[in-house]
């Protein structure tokens, strides 16, 4: 499972403060903790920390790059912010994200093609987030076809079926599982699938338990990557155990310790 850290996000109070004060040490500490916890990529999102989101993204990239060469996941809906972050990165980054809206595809896909970056694509279009798995898959197919026309192969695409909070949309987790299953049949090689896991349990009491259970279920139907907090011990233990049960890693009595080592 490809783990993308969610914690360097201006929506979190500590990160918002660090961005506003340009506290490089605070950002770097979070980055190193998240990598130690198991993150293979770091999602960088300036959130609402500042009105100068281009400057903040460049600063985040440069600050994190001083302490790690891990893949950076540049997260912003504005093309100009992503482009500035990409230029600061140079290489080894993921674009997070494009939607299936024609205006977004026309900007973000050429950038991914030009830089060689992988790209996360949300299964929503001008009509918003679909209610059904069938509609999500239809949008996913359109993204793949458009991306291939831009020279981007399906294996460079991470499709995001869009995670909605279970406390307002309890029917959606099952529909997401159906989406993941069907999306894997769209192409050869198949596209990869990623979810922003914390959205599922947003505003709930049992956040870690709900997220952990759904992650295990999603892995069982082909999930490839997940955006989460690797410092959540229960969540990571369930993820590591699921890898064992799916025969993706070799079992030992100390498999949790071995994975973290």
């Amino acid at each position: 499972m490809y783990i993308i850290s969610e914690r360097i996000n201006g929506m979190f109070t500590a990160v918002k403060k660090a961005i506003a004060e340009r506290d490089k040490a605070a950002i770097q500490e979070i980055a190193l903790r998240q990598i130690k916890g198991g993150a293979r990529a770091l999602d960088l999102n300036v959130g609402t920390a500042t009105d100068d989101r281009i400057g903040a993204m460049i600063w985040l990239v440069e600050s994190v790059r001083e302490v790690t060469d891990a893949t950076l996941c540049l997260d912003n809906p504005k093309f100009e912010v992503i482009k500035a972050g990409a230029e600061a990165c140079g290489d080894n980054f993921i674009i997070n994200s494009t939607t299936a809206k024609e205006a977004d595809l026309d900007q973000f896909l050429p950038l991914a093609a030009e830089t060689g970056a992988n790209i996360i694509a949300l299964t929503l279009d001008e009509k918003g987030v679909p209610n059904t798995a069938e509609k999500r898959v239809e949008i996913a197919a359109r993204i793949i076809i458009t991306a291939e026309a831009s020279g981007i192969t399906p294996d460079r695409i991470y499709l995001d079926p869009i995670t909605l909070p279970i406390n307002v949309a309890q029917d959606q987790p099952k529909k997401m599982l159906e989406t993941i299953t069907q999306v894997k049949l769209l192409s050869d090689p198949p596209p990869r699938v990623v979810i922003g896991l914390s959205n599922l349990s947003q505003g709930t009491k049992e956040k870690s338990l709900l997220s952990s259970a759904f992650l295990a279920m999603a892995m069982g139907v082909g999930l490839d990557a997940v955006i989460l907090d690797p410092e959540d011990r229960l969540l990571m233990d369930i993820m590591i155990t699921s890898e064992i049960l799916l025969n993706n890693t070799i079992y030992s009595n100390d498999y949790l310790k071995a994975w973290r080592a």
Side-chain angles (χ1 to χ4, degrees), residues 4-20 26-28 30-31 33-34 42-50 53 56-57 59-60 64 73-77 96 196 198-199 202 227-229:
I4 303 173
S5 159
E6 69 178 9
R7 294 299 298 184
I8 306 180
N9 187 318
M11 298 301 292
F12 294 109
T13 302
V15 175
K16 183 175 183 177
K17 182 174 183 289
I19 293 173
I27 295 297
Q28 292 173 341
I30 295 170
R33 283 205 324 263
Q34 294 282 287
L42 301 169
D43 191 79
L44 304 186
N45 187 332
V46 301
T48 58
T50 175
R53 298 184 183 184
M57 178 62 84
W59 178 80
L60 274 179
V64 173
C73 190
L74 307 177
D75 188 351
N76 199 275
N96 185 15
S198 63
N199 292 341
Q202 182 179 335
I227 303 172
L228 52 69
D229 178 6

Side-chain angles (χ1 to χ4, degrees), residues 46-229:
V46 301
T48 58
T50 175
D51 291 334
D52 179 18
R53 298 184 183 184
I54 291 177
M57 178 62 84
I58 293 171
W59 178 80
L60 274 179
V61 169
E62 292 175 346
S63 298
V64 173
R65 272 284 181 254
E66 287 184 8
V67 295
T68 179
D69 59 358
T71 301
L72 302 183
C73 190
L74 307 177
D75 188 351
N76 199 275
K78 298 292 186 182
F79 175 75
E80 295 77 12
V81 178
I82 296 290
K83 188 172 186 295
E87 290 171 351
C89 273
D91 58 14
N92 195 23
F93 65 91
I94 299 169
I95 295 171
N96 185 15
S97 56
T98 184
T99 70
K101 296 176 182 177
E102 186 175 350
D104 287 341
L105 293 175
D106 286 347
Q107 287 186 309
F108 287 103
L109 291 182
L111 180 62
E114 176 187 345
T115 60
N118 291 341
I119 185 167
I120 294 173
L122 307 177
T123 56
L124 69 87
D125 58 14
E126 286 81 0
K127 296 180 181 179
V129 180
N131 183 51
T132 65
E134 290 74 18
K135 183 61 178 177
R136 283 182 169 99
V137 174
E138 178 185 321
I139 293 174
R142 189 161 75 243
I143 291 170
I144 292 170
I145 291 169
T146 308
E148 286 191 299
S150 297
I152 302 168
T153 54
D155 59 311
R156 287 177 52 200
I157 302 170
Y158 286 92
L159 291 168
D160 184 341
I162 306 177
T163 311
L164 299 175
I166 192 168
N167 56 359
V168 297
Q170 191 173 342
D171 64 331
Q172 289 300 306
K174 183 177 180 181
K175 292 177 181 179
M176 286 181 63
L177 297 176
E178 294 170 357
T179 302
I180 295 169
T181 301
Q182 294 178 41
V183 157
K184 287 295 184 174
L185 303 175
L186 287 176
S187 64
D188 184 15
R192 288 177 280 188
V193 180
V194 63
I195 59 172
L197 187 61
S198 63
N199 292 341
L200 175 84
S201 58
Q202 182 179 335
T204 66
K205 183 178 179 180
E206 300 291 351
K207 290 185 178 181
S208 187
L209 183 58
L210 284 164
S211 295
S212 299
F214 184 71
L215 177 58
M217 296 167 73
M219 290 173 67
V221 295
L223 184 71
D224 300 283
V226 58
I227 303 172
L228 52 69
D229 178 6

